[in-house]
Amino acid sequence: MSRQNEIFAKARDRVALSREEAYWLWEEAPLERLALTADEVRREVVPDKNMVTWQIDRNVNITNVCISGCKFCNFHCKPHQTERAFITTIDEYRQKIDRMLELGGDQLLLQGGLHPRLGIEFYEELFSTLKELYPQVRLHALGAPEVAHIAKISNISPREALQRLVVAGLDSLPGAGAEILNEDVRRAISPAKPSAREWLDVMHEAHLMNLPTSATMMYGHIESPSQRVDHLLAIRDLQAECPTGNWGFIAFIPWIFRSTGTRLEQEGVKSHFSPLEYIRIIAVSRLILNNINNIQASWLTVGKSTAQLALHSGANDMGSIMIEENVVSSAGAHNEFDAEGIQKAIREAGFTPQLRDQLYRKREYRTKLNE
Ligand code: SF4
């Protein structure tokens, strides 16, 4: 068997690839064969071969105050910019959650900045209040950098922070803030964000506690191809350490950096979206991440037709209709779907849409509007 056939056979059988094999897939493997093999694996991994899942949730930003200074983010502001700074009030949450429930959503994606003064008690109070008001709503909240930051300013360990957040109502931890898990890249694009090592450590703690998580990658800025491969391998290797039977990373979501109006753009780093490169990323992710079952096509950042192609190249999920999103849309991604639109897009691509929850359990699509 030729070396190329050997690598494809290993990938096809979901055997962990070596760095050299993974790198070859990324750099040299023919795209058509990559996509076909990734599609084959996806059809084997996902229980109902023709099913493509989607979700309804609502993104609410807890605050826009952030000391991280990510150069790809137009959304945040510094603590002294009082005319822009906000902390969402309980009344505002109520309005947003009520609307989300009307539209059939079941989850809040709560994200915010690294606020210098909001410690663990603030988040405990917030999560428990929201759970008291809406026990049926799942809280998919924060991210590894926020947890590391909250732990630091509260003088507790990330483990204690996670434990207390779970007691207060945290249901799952999003994979946000991974960008590219390389310390040099991170220092350059997110100077004051917790390190790549901290991202991995917080996720590891979450896996030990059996808190469901997801993983992401933001590509297309200053990273090299080998740093992308290393990112995928770091996620795969961390997942391999997850105790058997625990949730670990339920899904992987790659998205492209959008440069419009960002500091990176001012420094000469512009995004160049290539649908073919995105398809390669989806396919390679499916093959390298042999221990993560769900690969999500991020329609929000790549648009409908590329997301549809991704469904034939290893992706099995179309993500959420995302009732409110601020970070990527403020940097130039303006793709929109409603519930009908996302299902139509999935059908057009040749699949059957299935509404799901964060744990990929099937849900029935019911809204106040179609009752
Ligand atoms: S992406 Fe998140 S962590 Fe980075 S500056 Fe924006 S709000 Fe802060």
Side-chain angles (χ1 to χ4, degrees):
M1 203 192 288
S2 75
R3 183 72 183 124
Q4 294 190 9
N5 287 345
E6 250 175 57
I7 299 173
F8 270 112
K10 272 179 87 174
R12 168 73 192 74
D13 293 341
R14 299 190 89 198
V15 174
L17 300 174
S18 69
R19 185 174 187 279
E20 172 235 331
E21 291 164 341
Y23 195 62
W24 179 82
L25 273 189
W26 192 281
E27 279 287 277
E28 294 180 50
L31 182 59
E32 190 186 351
R33 191 166 176 194
L34 261 184
L36 282 172
T37 311
D39 187 48
E40 230 178 297
V41 173
R42 166 253 193 272
R43 284 175 193 274
E44 209 170 279
V45 172
V46 179
D48 181 341
K49 295 181 192 357
N50 211 42
M51 176 177 84
V52 165
T53 42
W54 63 289
Q55 192 182 17
I56 307 173
D57 66 1
R58 175 155 205 161
N59 189 359
V60 180
N61 293 99
I62 299 167
T63 175
N64 62 344
V65 174
C66 186
I67 54 158
S68 176
C70 299
K71 295 181 184 173
F72 54 84
C73 174
N74 292 332
F75 167 72
H76 73 281
C77 71
K78 296 288 177 206
H80 63 268
Q81 293 175 291
T82 43
E83 70 294 346
R84 273 190 64 203
F86 70 79
I87 295 175
T88 301
T89 65
I90 293 297
D91 268 353
E92 288 165 335
Y93 282 112
R94 274 180 198 273
Q95 286 169 23
K96 288 169 192 279
I97 296 172
D98 288 345
R99 180 65 183 146
M100 176 193 77
L101 292 172
E102 269 175 32
L103 294 171
D106 68 333
Q107 168 171 281
L108 276 192
L109 169 57
L110 288 176
Q111 306 217 281
L114 310 185
H115 194 295
R117 285 186 305 281
L118 300 185
I120 188 73
E121 287 84 8
F122 169 85
Y123 291 94
E124 285 177 312
E125 171 76 30
L126 173 64
F127 291 0
S128 52
T129 304
L130 292 175
K131 277 290 185 181
E132 220 175 281
L133 291 170
Y134 299 95
Q136 76 277 37
V137 170
R138 293 183 65 83
L139 301 182
H140 184 48
L142 306 173
E146 282 106 321
V147 172
H149 171 77
I150 293 165
K152 213 171 283 172
I153 65 170
S154 309
N155 286 320
I156 56 175
S157 65
R159 181 175 182 74
E160 184 182 339
L162 280 172
Q163 282 168 335
R164 288 172 63 172
L165 292 168
V166 167
V167 170
L170 176 68
D171 290 299
S172 51
L173 187 64
E179 330 322 348
I180 291 287
L181 293 168
N182 172 283
E183 305 300 1
D184 293 336
V185 172
R186 212 166 175 85
R187 262 190 299 276
I189 66 171
S190 300
K193 206 167 195 164
S195 65
R197 184 67 260 160
E198 285 173 289
W199 191 95
L200 290 164
D201 288 346
V202 170
M203 284 300 180
H204 185 55
E205 288 296 347
H207 293 177
L208 294 179
M209 290 167 52
N210 201 16
L211 178 65
T213 61
S214 52
T216 63
M217 172 171 79
M218 186 187 73
Y219 73 94
H221 37 92
I222 62 164
E223 83 288 359
S224 66
S226 62
Q227 287 165 339
R228 291 179 187 177
V229 174
D230 289 343
H231 178 95
L232 291 175
L233 294 175
I235 286 170
R236 179 199 69 185
D237 292 346
L238 190 68
Q239 178 81 332
E241 289 173 25
C242 178
T244 311
N246 284 11
W247 286 105
F249 293 126
I250 298 179
F252 176 70
I253 310 133
W255 65 71
I256 178 145
F257 156 66
R258 294 281 180 176
S259 59
T260 311
T262 62
R263 265 181 65 203
L264 276 177
E265 186 183 48
Q266 287 163 22
E267 292 176 9
V269 182
K270 291 211 170 130
S271 47
H272 298 282
F273 176 60
S274 151
L276 290 186
E277 185 185 50
Y278 182 72
I279 297 304
R280 174 171 286 271
I281 281 170
I282 290 286
V284 169
S285 301
R286 171 60 79 191
L287 299 181
I288 293 180
L289 300 174
N290 63 326
N291 49 13
I292 296 181
N293 285 347
N294 300 294
I295 305 288
Q296 190 183 113
S298 170
W299 64 267
L300 180 71
T301 54
V302 302
K304 174 178 147 183
S305 48
T306 306
Q308 287 173 317
L309 275 178
L311 298 178
H312 290 279
S313 316
N316 63 298
D317 185 81
M318 200 64 142
S320 169
I321 60 168
M322 199 72 88
I323 296 166
E324 183 178 343
E325 194 291 322
N326 290 315
V327 173
V328 295
S329 54
S330 67
H334 297 296
N335 298 302
E336 280 187 12
F337 267 146
D338 57 16
E340 299 312 322
I342 200 166
Q343 293 179 85
K344 188 161 171 264
I346 293 169
R347 280 196 205 95
E348 277 172 14
F351 296 94
T352 308
Q354 173 63 56
L355 184 63
R356 65 158 173 94
D357 68 8
Q358 185 59 31
L359 304 177
Y360 283 74
R361 296 175 301 204
K362 292 181 182 179
R363 290 185 63 216
E364 198 186 332
Y365 176 47
R366 287 170 71 99
T367 73
K368 286 255 162 69
L369 312 172
N370 68 9
E371 262 172 11

